[in-house]
Amino acid sequence: MKNPPTENSWQEQVDVDDGRLLIEEDEKERRFSSNIFWAGFNLINAILGTGMIGLPYSMKLAGLPLGILLLFAVAYVTDCSMILLIKAGEMSGTSTYQALVSRTFGFPGYLLVSLLQFLYPFAAMISYNIITGDILPKIFQRIPGVTPGSILADRYFAILSTTIVITLPIALYRNMQRLGKVSLMSLLLTIIVLVIVIIRASSFIGTIPHSEGAWVFAKWNAIQAVGVMSFVFMCHHACFLIYGSLEKGTVRSWSNITHISMIISLIISVQYSVFGYVSFTGFTQGDLFENYCKDDNLATIGRLFYAMTVILTYPMECFVTREVISNVFFGGSLSTVHHFAVTLLVVSLTTVISLFSDCLGMVLELNGLLSATPLVFIIPTACYLKLSSDHWYHISNAMPCFILLLGILIMPVGFSMTILYPQECSHGKEMFYCFSNSTLNDVPVSHLYHRNASEIK
């Protein structure tokens, strides 16, 4: 028969149990901190994406001073909107964007947000492939023996090969957390590309002629620029996925992650915008790397790193499109066979469309205005206002009302201007300043942008 526990042995057992609990709590805290860490990188990756390379183009549309102010404004609105979205989800007891809108506005709202939430990442995936098709052939042509007629210099081959070998296998992941390290790598590559853009800007200033009106405060295409910026910062389609990946997700922890991620993204965005635009002013393309000459060695390194960033960001968007399809058609759960089939279908469709589309600027504008604007400005604020216990005109709801009205104004006006006043797109053409025997003095600067480089010799 066992001896009854003495007071000392009982206290020893209590101390052991307390120690075990402290160790378990410390382990949980470390896992939680690590969880927040990777969630933050996933959010930054979702915010930055490929849109970074189009931000100098938005400065061309708006004018540099006004463009920077608009960039800060769109970042601030996006930050508020992401927090309102998760708050509304907590208020309604829902855990997906579609479920929130369904609970708030019924089945019509559910169909609308599902369509928008599918179209935005779907179009983003197309833009990723367009950039890959722009960049990789120019990189391969720097390899000795690879000529413009080689298969390695073909944009179709570049898109198809990267899709089959890299993006499709990563897109088949089922767990969002597994993309955390991929997102960290993507962020580091984005920073390296930024450093290259800054270095090259110092050599271009004073060498490439400035376009007419390059430094005016504002241009009348500013609303189109907001569309591009909205495309860049829009990550609402991934918010619930990232929030759901947190072990102990709260509105407060989400707010902290959102603020830090947005500040980091804004710092990087401003530098991309300024240094990219001052390099090429009014000649800036929707894909900034289209402005660099093929024989620019440093730009070639930048192209390589940016191509890697784009390829690593692609799977994040595929996660979202697959989740929308899963919620609408499969009740929120995909079997292994359906998971593979849906992923293959989405990737195949975006690949085929990107093979026949090569103007990135137009894709950024339209996707920003038609998909990002309602997902950022209109729907989160409308849901929050309807769920709020205060009247819409209460002072606490002033910011949601302001953001909602902005979205209602920007979306139709920006779309009309994009259709009526499309911008030039010089995909695949060397710019005039890449030709050493071009005579700039003989060609008006205002006409250089619109001419094929082969004519300026």
Side-chain angles (χ1 to χ4, degrees):
M1 189 171 100
K2 293 183 180 178
N3 294 326
T6 64
E7 183 176 348
N8 288 338
S9 64
W10 178 265
Q11 185 61 46
E12 289 174 1
Q13 183 62 41
V14 169
D15 291 341
V16 170
D17 291 342
D18 287 345
R20 187 182 298 114
L21 287 173
L22 287 173
I23 293 172
E24 289 177 356
E25 287 298 320
D26 289 342
E27 181 63 27
K28 288 180 180 178
E29 189 63 33
R30 282 194 294 270
R31 287 202 308 268
F32 179 56
S33 299
S34 176
N35 190 236
I36 289 180
F37 181 78
W38 294 120
F41 279 117
N42 275 333
L43 186 58
I44 293 171
N45 196 33
I47 293 172
L48 297 179
T50 59
M52 290 290 97
I53 214 69
L55 283 175
Y57 173 75
S58 71
M59 299 298 110
K60 168 190 168 182
L61 293 173
L64 184 61
L66 178 60
I68 293 174
L69 293 176
L70 288 175
L71 196 62
F72 275 86
V74 172
Y76 177 75
V77 167
T78 306
D79 183 86
C80 294
S81 178
M82 286 193 290
I83 295 172
L84 289 174
L85 184 68
I86 298 301
K87 280 185 178 179
E90 292 291 312
M91 291 162 64
S92 62
T94 54
S95 58
T96 66
Y97 205 154
Q98 297 110 303
L100 167 63
V101 180
S102 178
R103 182 72 57 86
T104 311
F105 293 104
F107 188 66
Y110 172 77
L111 289 180
L112 175 62
V113 77
S114 295
L115 177 63
L116 292 172
Q117 207 176 2
F118 174 83
L119 287 178
Y120 175 84
F122 187 83
M125 292 164 72
I126 293 172
S127 70
Y128 294 174
N129 281 336
I130 290 174
I131 292 175
T132 301
D134 286 345
I135 290 177
L136 289 186
K138 292 184 178 179
I139 295 174
F140 291 143
Q141 287 182 58
R142 301 294 292 154
I143 300 174
V146 178
T147 63
S150 302
I151 187 171
L152 290 176
D154 185 79
R155 73 180 298 266
Y156 300 111
F157 174 79
I159 294 172
L160 288 171
S161 60
T162 54
T163 297
I164 295 170
V165 177
I166 303 175
T167 54
L168 178 59
I170 299 177
L172 286 169
Y173 282 167
R174 298 182 72 103
N175 188 348
M176 173 70 76
Q177 286 179 304
R178 296 185 68 181
L179 290 182
K181 294 180 181 179
V182 173
S183 296
L184 173 58
M185 185 183 298
S186 178
L187 175 60
L188 293 175
L189 291 173
T190 299
I191 294 173
I192 294 173
V193 173
L194 173 60
V195 172
I196 292 173
V197 170
I198 293 173
I199 293 172
R200 295 304 286 126
S202 63
S203 60
F204 284 136
I205 296 174
T207 302
I208 298 175
H210 298 149
S211 60
E212 184 178 352
W215 310 115
V216 298
F217 179 83
K219 295 181 181 178
W220 62 285
N221 300 98
I223 293 185
Q224 290 173 256
V226 172
V228 176
M229 296 172 189
S230 298
F231 173 88
V232 173
F233 288 113
M234 214 301 283
C235 59
H236 295 56
H237 57 301
C239 283
F240 278 106
L241 277 173
I242 298 172
Y243 181 69
S245 71
L246 295 172
E247 289 185 5
K248 296 188 292 185
T250 63
V251 173
R252 182 176 179 180
S253 64
W254 174 253
S255 297
N256 292 333
I257 293 172
T258 300
H259 293 326
I260 294 172
S261 300
M262 185 57 68
I263 289 172
I264 294 173
S265 300
L266 180 60
I267 292 171
I268 296 173
S269 300
V270 169
Q271 294 183 75
Y272 262 105
S273 302
V274 173
F275 288 101
Y277 178 77
V278 299
S279 298
F280 307 106
T281 60
F283 308 114
T284 305
Q285 299 289 293
D287 179 352
L288 184 65
F289 277 110
E290 286 289 278
N291 282 100
Y292 295 97
C293 304
K294 290 180 181 178
D295 60 356
D296 188 328
N297 292 326
L298 191 58
T300 298
I301 297 173
R303 286 188 178 104
L304 175 62
F305 286 142
Y306 193 71
M308 293 169 63
T309 302
V310 168
I311 291 168
L312 293 175
T313 307
Y314 183 102
M316 176 75 73
E317 307 298 345
C318 189
F319 261 73
V320 182
T321 58
R322 190 171 57 223
E323 188 210 23
V324 173
I325 294 174
S326 172
N327 290 335
V328 173
F329 297 104
F330 298 94
S333 178
L334 290 175
S335 65
T336 302
V337 174
H338 287 152
H339 171 85
F340 181 84
V342 169
T343 303
L344 183 61
L345 176 63
V346 169
V347 171
S348 299
L349 285 175
T350 56
T351 301
V352 169
I353 295 173
S354 61
L355 291 174
F356 299 98
S357 306
D358 58 15
C359 192
L360 183 65
M362 180 68 75
V363 174
L364 296 180
E365 286 183 52
L366 290 177
N367 198 20
L369 291 164
L370 295 180
S371 301
T373 300
L375 287 171
V376 173
F377 290 77
I378 299 175
I379 297 178
T381 52
C383 290
Y384 180 81
L385 288 170
K386 188 166 183 180
L387 292 168
S388 175
S389 57
D390 297 321
H391 292 292
W392 65 268
Y393 51 80
H394 192 273
I395 188 64
S396 63
N397 288 328
M399 181 56 68
C401 285
F402 176 69
I403 296 173
L404 177 63
L405 291 175
L406 272 180
I408 293 174
L409 171 66
I410 291 170
M411 186 176 172
V413 175
F415 175 72
S416 300
M417 292 182 66
T418 300
I419 297 301
L420 295 175
Y421 307 102
Q423 299 296 304
E424 292 285 338
C425 183
S426 299
H427 166 78
K429 300 175 183 176
E430 283 281 78
M431 302 299 287
F432 66 90
Y433 45 76
C434 295
F435 295 86
S436 58
N437 58 342
S438 62
T439 307
L440 299 182
N441 293 330
D442 296 337
V443 184
V445 170
S446 59
H447 294 154
L448 288 171
Y449 175 70
H450 302 285
R451 297 187 60 182
N452 189 316
S454 63
E455 299 172 354
I456 307 174
K457 292 188 176 181

